[in-house]
Amino acid sequence: MPRPLIGVCAAVENANFGVWEDEPAVLLPLSYARAIHGAGGMMAMLPPDRRATEDPGELLDRIDALVLGGGADIDPESQGVEAHPETVGTNPDRDNFEIALALRALERGIPLLGVCRGMQILNVACGGTLDQHLPDRLGSDSHRPVPGSWAEHDVRIEPGSLAARAAGAERLTVKSHHHQGVDAVHENLAASAWATDDESVEAIESSDGRFALGVLWHPEEDANDQVIPTLVESAST
């Protein structure tokens, strides 16, 4: 059987490589490809595409599953609210592209995984709200204590949930690096994992049984994490 094609939404950031200095580039950590290839899938990198934002069907016709990848803060204008002082580096084109893809993928029942920022995009796309700066509520920077470095903490996962089936466990030690999170989870979604130290929501999923899952941790950074292999398996059926 042909390998399933997993589309991964990519970041647009300035980068330095070869003759290109401080040049806008479409970026994804290689760890996404390693995780998808290792699970038997192929990966397509998806940069923001304004035509696909207007009509996501053409793009979604060509992939078997969709990953909303991690990256920069989400523009709060997508929710009609003002930006927090700590909300920086936003890219409205990327936000609009990924929201459009997420909504159409949900309509079609295409397997969907949101990673960190992608989990937040999934919630916002469905009509949920965003916590722009978790330290204001938590009183600590425990989910991003050192800029540019992974934090590790434990999460507990709802037994029998999609998150538990995907992870193959009801408790995990995960890698994270974020200061935004979900606030109100939309009624079409359900929270299914929480940080053990502060009860922040760490996973959300579709409440109708489809493979639509968001995790606030980065499964691609852990070779033993089963979330991406489970997505690839779902895309193969």
Side-chain angles (χ1 to χ4, degrees), residues 57-81:
E58 180 185 17
L59 190 157
L60 293 175
D61 285 343
R62 304 181 185 197
I63 62 176
D64 299 299
L66 175 66
V67 176
L68 306 172
D73 290 347
I74 298 169
D75 189 340
E77 285 192 8
S78 60
Q79 303 171 81
V81 298

Side-chain angles (χ1 to χ4, degrees), residues 91-201:
N91 184 331
D93 284 344
R94 182 184 180 189
D95 296 344
N96 294 334
F97 171 64
E98 295 184 4
I99 288 170
L101 287 185
L103 287 173
R104 189 65 60 85
L106 289 170
E107 290 175 3
R108 292 188 172 198
I110 294 172
L112 167 62
L113 172 65
V115 173
C116 193
R117 164 196 156 88
M119 167 179 150
Q120 299 162 39
I121 282 283
L122 174 60
N123 190 51
V124 169
C126 290
T129 57
L130 183 69
D131 187 333
Q132 289 190 59
H133 193 54
L134 288 169
D136 286 350
R137 177 171 59 83
L138 301 178
S140 77
D141 292 314
S142 58
H143 294 264
R144 191 183 64 175
V146 180
S149 298
W150 296 110
E152 290 193 359
H153 63 88
D154 290 344
V155 299
R156 59 179 180 85
I157 305 176
E158 182 70 24
S161 64
L162 171 60
R165 297 196 303 274
E170 295 175 5
R171 189 180 183 97
L172 288 176
T173 299
V174 301
K175 294 181 182 294
S176 66
H177 185 78
H178 62 92
H179 77 105
Q180 294 188 327
V182 299
D183 182 18
V185 178
H186 190 264
E187 61 184 9
N188 291 339
L189 303 168
S192 54
W194 301 264
T196 58
D197 55 354
D198 57 33
E199 292 300 307
S200 295
V201 174

Side-chain angles (χ1 to χ4, degrees), residues 202-224:
E202 289 281 333
I204 58 175
E205 60 190 62
S206 173
S207 55
D208 65 6
R210 293 174 294 177
F211 196 110
L213 172 66
V215 297
L216 202 51
W217 66 88
H218 282 262
E220 78 282 1
E221 295 298 331
D222 183 349
N224 296 316

